[in-house]
Amino acid sequence: MLASFTLKEDNEGLNESDPMFAHAFHHALIGLAVVSREGRFLRVNHSLCELLGYKPEELLSANAEDLLVSSEDLRFLADASGPSAANSRQIEKSYTSRTGEPRWGLLRISSFRTGDGEVRFYVQLQDWTYRKLLEKNMKRSRLEVWSLFQHNPDTICILDLKGRIVSSNLAMIRFTGYDPLDLRGVYILPFILPQDKQAAWKLFEEAMAGRSSTAELSFSRKAGGWATMEVRTLPIVVGQTVEGIYAIAKDLSGRKKAEEMLRTSEKLSAVGQLAAGVAHEIRNPLTALKGFTQFLQSGAVAKETYYEIMMSELNRIDLIITELLMLAKPRTSEFKRLDPQLMIRHVVTLLEPEAALNNVQFVIIAQNSLSDMMGAENQLKQLFINLLKNAVESMPGGGQIEINLHQDTRESIYVEIRDQGCGISPEELMRIGEPFYSTKDQGTGLGMMVSRQITEEHKGTIEIESVTGEGTTVRVRLPLKRTTRTKGAVRL
């Protein structure tokens, strides 16, 4: 509850009996006091007591010059007061409350003369502590934002609505080499590579519309040359209006260099994979040739049939080497009409010598009246050689490999290869197809990767199911008709 002001003297030229004056003085929300020429408090209200932290009687026994007003202000106002003049002074005042808390206020001191001609002062104190804290915090925030702007590692500039540079940070100065005075107030477009100006203008228009966008632009440097940067524009919105534009740019020189190094690394890796892949694919026909040679040495009959197959494998080796020599000018694999059953039987014939050495037998189960299919014969033979060799190698104790061919109504042909091998664990199954990952001790992992690529080339899929200790089933689906090439899938 507000306390009433206290009177220390009875006659100061104030109409104490005026209830309006007493009420206004008593209930004022700002601190009010009447001070004598000597600087003593004559009257105080409750608001002033709260601001200073003193009781009314404590203030009335104190000197105002010790707590609030300066003697210089009082002397100036007293000397300036004429017989009928009223003078005032308004200042921002810092003071300390009784509890030691620093505070700020707007202090207004007015001089007047009583009926006896004595000089008195009205003192008004409005608390500005909260306002000063807000101003301090706002100033601190502005400094923090400015520091973030100036010391940001990214190149930043502020543009007005006409595309002129208002301000630029230190990173932009260092990057471009221009003096800040060279940039301030000039249009930014002349610093942009001519062929990039349309993209730059689009960024500007997007920001003007209140949207953020990004593009790669090349900027000129004072020392000469152009630097590619990733530029992002952000609108500066005040209220509901775009007042300017932030342009934030990242130097892409390092990233471009890293990308070039990565491309070089990928090329070297590709060369390594190619070398391993070529060796892997040449080894297949060489194994067949070796097997047939041993078979013929043992006195086999019907040599002409084996000579034809051996010649076919030699031609395959020649084809691989030819493709290797022509990598600088790759050519599309030739698709033609194929009999899928005949192709599988040919592959089986190639692998039978190796399978016999491992006591493995092939069993082909084919649906009647299989349609012809479109495919690259050499690639498909390579695909099924890889899959059947994996099946044979998974059966060191021998057994049977069942090859099932059937056609569905979706005009696709399915080739299922079911072995009786050791099987593949779920963990290993998830990694099948990764380059250089193999479940075999001497495997490179490239065979399955090549098989997947061939299947993708034919817009097909490979599904693998396996039970450890029981065997593995590989299901290959191939479309009968050739369609536009899209990426296939391997589902495990």
Side-chain angles (χ1 to χ4, degrees):
M1 179 180 293
L2 294 174
S4 61
F5 62 84
T6 303
L7 300 178
K8 187 177 181 183
E9 296 185 6
D10 293 330
N11 186 12
E12 263 74 45
L14 299 174
N15 187 358
E16 301 164 10
S17 61
D18 186 350
M20 293 182 64
F21 170 80
H23 185 273
F25 193 88
H26 172 74
H27 293 286
L29 298 178
I30 62 174
L32 296 177
V34 178
V35 179
S36 69
R37 182 167 186 167
E38 293 75 21
R40 291 180 296 110
F41 284 112
L42 302 178
R43 287 184 176 83
V44 293
N45 73 344
H46 181 71
S47 294
L48 183 66
C49 294
E50 284 191 335
L51 290 174
L52 298 178
Y54 291 90
K55 297 178 180 179
E57 56 271 18
E58 291 174 329
L59 287 180
L60 293 173
S61 62
N63 196 310
E65 295 178 0
D66 297 331
L67 299 175
L68 196 59
V69 297
S70 66
S71 56
E72 290 80 5
D73 290 332
L74 296 181
R75 282 197 298 270
F76 174 81
L77 292 173
D79 294 341
S81 299
S84 59
N87 298 278
S88 65
R89 171 172 286 191
Q90 182 171 289
I91 57 173
E92 288 186 15
K93 178 73 176 181
S94 63
Y95 63 96
T96 304
S97 68
R98 187 176 186 177
T99 60
E101 179 186 2
R103 302 187 69 87
W104 280 88
L106 178 64
L107 182 66
R108 181 181 177 87
I109 308 171
S110 304
S111 64
F112 68 94
R113 290 183 179 273
T114 67
D116 297 335
E118 293 187 29
V119 177
R120 295 286 185 269
F121 303 99
Y122 284 123
V123 177
Q124 304 173 45
L125 179 63
Q126 185 176 354
D127 186 20
W128 271 19
T129 303
Y130 181 67
R131 176 176 177 176
K132 296 297 288 188
L133 286 175
L134 286 179
E135 290 178 353
K136 181 180 179 180
N137 290 335
M138 289 179 64
K139 182 179 180 180
R140 180 182 178 87
S141 296
R142 284 195 297 268
L143 291 175
E144 289 174 349
V145 172
W146 182 251
S147 177
L148 178 64
F149 171 77
Q150 281 293 342
H151 301 289
N152 198 299
D154 293 335
T155 298
I156 305 176
C157 67
I158 299 174
L159 306 175
D160 64 15
L161 299 183
K162 294 184 177 180
R164 294 174 298 196
I165 300 174
V166 176
S167 183
S168 53
N169 71 344
L170 297 176
M172 184 169 184
I173 302 304
R174 289 193 299 267
F175 183 77
T176 61
Y178 292 100
D179 187 89
L181 296 178
D182 296 335
L183 299 174
R184 186 175 301 132
V186 302
Y187 290 94
I188 195 170
L189 277 180
F191 295 96
I192 299 174
L193 193 68
Q195 50 263 44
D196 289 346
K197 288 185 178 181
Q198 184 175 357
W201 183 250
K202 185 176 180 181
L203 288 182
F204 187 81
E205 289 181 329
E206 288 290 308
M208 288 285 290
R211 296 184 293 268
S212 173
S213 55
T214 306
E216 286 190 12
L217 305 175
S218 294
F219 286 82
S220 66
R221 284 175 165 167
K222 189 173 184 179
W226 301 87
T228 303
M229 308 185 76
E230 183 182 68
V231 183
R232 184 178 185 85
T233 53
L234 301 169
I236 302 174
V237 182
V238 179
Q240 300 295 325
T241 307
V242 176
E243 299 288 347
I245 296 170
Y246 279 119
I248 305 173
K250 292 180 179 291
D251 181 14
L252 297 182
S253 303
R255 193 173 84 181
K256 294 290 185 182
K257 184 176 180 180
E259 288 175 352
E260 182 61 31
M261 293 177 65
L262 180 60
R263 281 193 293 269
T264 302
S265 175
E266 288 175 346
K267 289 178 183 178
L268 293 174
S269 176
V271 169
Q273 291 187 21
L274 178 63
V278 169
H280 183 84
E281 299 310 323
I282 289 180
R283 187 182 295 120
N284 288 335
L286 285 178
T287 300
L289 289 172
K290 181 179 178 181
F292 279 121
T293 301
Q294 294 173 345
F295 195 54
L296 292 173
Q297 287 177 340
S298 65
V301 295
K303 297 180 180 181
E304 290 76 10
T305 303
Y306 298 115
Y307 287 152
E308 181 181 347
I309 295 175
M310 292 172 68
M311 198 63 192
S312 173
E313 291 307 297
L314 286 172
N315 290 334
R316 177 172 174 75
I317 293 174
D318 180 67
L319 176 63
I320 293 173
I321 295 175
T322 301
E323 293 291 337
L324 178 62
L325 294 175
M326 297 188 65
L327 279 177
K329 187 180 179 181
R331 56 185 179 179
T332 304
S333 299
E334 182 181 352
F335 277 62
K336 62 181 181 179
R337 186 175 297 278
L338 301 173
D339 182 339
Q341 183 176 349
L342 182 61
M343 177 184 62
I344 291 295
R345 290 190 181 278
H346 191 189
V347 171
V348 167
T349 302
L350 292 174
L351 293 177
E352 275 182 338
E354 180 182 355
L357 294 176
N358 291 274
N359 197 28
V360 173
Q361 295 179 342
F362 294 109
V363 177
I364 300 177
I365 303 174
Q367 175 183 323
N368 293 329
S369 303
L370 286 175
S371 301
D372 288 347
M373 62 175 292
M374 296 298 296
E377 183 176 6
N378 286 327
Q379 288 190 6
L380 291 176
K381 288 170 70 174
Q382 179 180 328
L383 164 65
F384 290 110
I385 286 173
N386 290 342
L387 298 179
L388 289 173
K389 277 179 62 67
N390 287 340
V392 170
E393 292 170 359
S394 72
M395 301 166 60
Q400 182 175 285
I401 297 176
E402 182 180 299
I403 306 170
N404 191 305
L405 290 84
H406 64 275
Q407 182 178 334
D408 67 4
T409 56
R410 293 178 298 173
E411 298 188 343
S412 293
I413 188 168
Y414 288 85
V415 180
E416 294 183 359
I417 301 173
R418 182 177 296 106
D419 64 50
Q420 298 172 346
C422 57
I424 307 172
S425 69
E427 294 76 16
E428 293 172 328
L429 196 60
M430 293 299 295
R431 299 191 59 187
I432 293 296
E434 292 183 14
F436 304 109
Y437 176 79
S438 176
T439 59
K440 297 178 289 187
D441 293 337
Q442 302 298 323
T444 64
L446 294 174
M448 198 62 200
M449 184 183 71
V450 171
S451 300
R452 181 180 62 182
Q453 292 173 343
I454 294 172
T455 307
E456 291 173 354
E457 177 71 25
H458 288 75
K459 200 184 177 185
T461 59
I462 295 181
E463 299 176 5
I464 303 177
E465 299 176 356
S466 186
V467 178
T468 304
E470 295 185 11
T472 301
T473 299
V474 180
R475 184 178 296 104
V476 180
R477 183 193 63 81
L478 296 170
L480 296 176
K481 296 180 180 180
R482 188 185 183 191
T483 57
T484 304
R485 180 185 176 186
T486 59
K487 188 172 182 179
V490 176
R491 298 197 298 273
L492 307 179

